[in-house]
Amino acid sequence: MTDLLLSQFRPQPKLVVPQSAITAPYRRVIDAHNHLGAFGGNWDQRTPAEFFAHLDHAGVAHYVDLDGGWGEDILTDRLRRFKAFAPDRYRVFGGVDWSKWAAEGHSFADRSATRFRAQVARGAQGLKIWKPFGLHVTDDTGALARIDDPRLDAIWAAAGELRLPVMIHIADPVAFFDPVDATNERWEELGAYPDWSFPSPPFPSFSTLIEAFANLVRRHPNTTFIGAHVGCYAENLGWVSALLDECPNFMVDISARVGELGRQPYSARRFFLRHSDRILFGTDAGPDLATYAIYARFLESEDEHFNYGPGEIPGQGRWHIYGLNLPRPVLDQIYYDNAARLFGL
Ligand SMILES: [Zn+2]
């Protein structure tokens, strides 16, 4: 018996179990976490007419584009073309330009809040905080910024005053903070994307980041935070559930985490039922039909042991997932109602 290379392992399940015929969500959805640019499928290169026709085909009623950023170019382009074409079906979020902290010093947060208000005046409808916050963003002294740094309060307060949500992505999968060795469950993924590895030191530990994130949410009860990717901690639904219980201003989306949710189907089903009014549908994969099909199968079916990715080898780890068979009223909340309430649709 010789060892087989992991990259050549292609086990074919021999299970004989019932399988649903679900190929799309059963109803129209709001995709609350997505992009138009590069990793969303380059839809920003297409015409708005093509894009919205595709959304019709995909059954997407409303699309949240988080790409607005902090410069003016992308936001202007998205507002001028996509928002103007279908104002009721599309929204784009703004951002914070952390690179200005060094030069602006003490006035950085106030000026960032002012810049965000200007983005909102032009049409932005939320604030997206990207992953570098906590991992790479530095303050005016060059030190790594803490996620719950009180010097930044004006930014979060502005979003609350404007009644616009902050979509925030903190840290990354827990295993990205572990050594990249034979015990790391994301070994193949980290091999493919070495810059997704955040060993501590020099990076803060995962627990440091996630606890600072929880503090941020606690300290700003008048601001709604959407924790991207199941509250940034899909591996620990008990932790996310406790923060949802504690903080009414906290919501989560399920984007890019059906692989995590679907490998813990009992815990995930309890989580969806308990917090059915706080969970947003979103995929983070562009308006991709194959991805919507997988999410629908996960949420709606009782299918067992299926691939959570569109490729032959699932990208986040070599496991399979199980459908949750959620009740229709819960599906309606997650697919549409929660986001409609949040966005005033
Ligand atoms: Zn995203």
Side-chain angles (χ1 to χ4, degrees):
M1 190 83 176
T2 54
D3 274 352
L4 177 70
L5 291 174
L6 179 59
S7 60
Q8 293 171 2
F9 190 47
R10 297 282 192 281
Q12 302 300 311
K14 295 300 172 190
L15 284 175
V16 179
V17 288
Q19 186 173 315
S20 71
I22 292 172
T23 57
Y26 90 94
R27 56 158 296 158
R28 279 160 72 84
V29 303
I30 296 173
D31 191 328
H33 182 138
N34 225 318
H35 306 270
L36 287 190
F39 68 106
N42 290 324
W43 281 93
D44 56 335
Q45 314 290 323
R46 317 272 281 271
T47 67
E50 279 179 287
F51 174 69
F52 289 104
H54 178 77
L55 289 193
D56 283 335
H57 183 51
V60 177
H62 193 96
Y63 194 88
V64 178
D65 172 10
L66 302 173
D67 289 348
W70 41 92
E72 297 310 312
D73 295 356
I74 298 174
L75 182 64
T76 300
D77 177 65
R78 302 286 168 88
L79 289 170
R80 185 177 57 81
R81 295 199 299 136
F82 294 91
K83 183 70 177 175
F85 189 92
D88 298 335
R89 300 192 59 190
Y90 171 88
R91 65 190 50 218
V92 59
F93 280 29
V96 173
D97 185 354
W98 301 109
S99 73
K100 287 187 155 55
W101 201 343
E104 294 180 354
H106 294 314
S107 65
F108 169 71
D110 284 329
R111 292 211 220 176
S112 295
T114 300
R115 284 188 285 268
F116 176 57
R117 288 178 189 279
Q119 287 190 311
V120 171
R122 294 170 51 218
Q125 292 179 289
L127 181 63
K128 171 72 196 294
I129 301 298
W130 298 71
K131 180 173 79 176
F133 184 48
L135 287 172
H136 302 291
V137 169
T138 50
D139 68 10
D140 51 339
T141 72
L144 190 69
R146 282 183 58 95
I147 290 159
D148 54 349
D149 189 326
R151 292 176 296 173
L152 300 173
D153 282 354
I155 298 170
W156 321 121
E161 286 159 20
L162 293 161
R163 299 192 166 281
L164 292 173
V166 179
M167 167 72 78
I168 185 161
H169 177 179
I170 293 301
D172 241 349
V174 182
F176 287 10
F177 294 79
D178 288 341
V180 186
D181 63 21
T183 68
N184 193 310
E185 66 175 352
R186 313 288 282 243
W187 186 87
E188 285 180 287
E189 190 180 19
L190 290 169
Y193 305 97
D195 57 340
W196 290 358
S197 174
F198 305 110
S200 172
F203 292 97
S205 69
F206 178 86
S207 62
T208 301
L209 295 170
I210 204 73
E211 288 305 332
F213 172 47
N215 278 336
L216 173 71
V217 176
R218 286 185 190 111
R219 288 185 41 232
H220 293 276
N222 297 321
T223 303
T224 298
F225 292 91
I226 306 166
H229 315 313
V230 196
C232 311
Y233 202 177
E235 295 92 335
N236 189 344
L237 297 180
W239 187 94
V240 180
S241 186
L243 191 60
L244 285 164
D245 283 339
E246 182 187 349
C247 298
N249 59 319
F250 187 46
M251 298 182 79
V252 304
D253 75 53
I254 62 169
S255 68
R257 292 296 181 272
V258 288
E260 289 296 342
L261 294 166
R263 67 169 169 162
Q264 46 181 327
Y266 305 116
S267 295
R269 195 169 197 281
R270 282 194 299 272
F271 179 82
F272 276 86
L273 295 180
R274 178 175 179 85
H275 303 291
S276 64
D277 59 343
R278 313 279 289 282
I279 300 171
L280 303 172
F281 177 79
T283 61
D284 200 16
D288 179 59
L289 296 176
T291 302
Y292 288 133
I294 291 166
Y295 278 60
R297 196 177 174 197
F298 165 63
L299 294 168
E300 297 178 33
S301 86
E302 277 189 341
D303 289 355
E304 297 175 292
H305 195 72
F306 60 95
N307 187 340
Y308 59 84
E312 186 189 1
I313 307 295
Q316 297 178 332
R318 286 175 181 254
W319 57 78
H320 286 68
I321 66 168
Y322 303 81
L324 299 188
N325 187 26
L326 293 174
R328 281 284 165 98
V330 172
L331 291 170
D332 288 339
Q333 288 176 290
I334 291 156
Y335 275 145
Y336 195 94
D337 297 346
N338 295 338
R341 190 177 68 245
L342 177 67
F343 298 138
L345 294 172

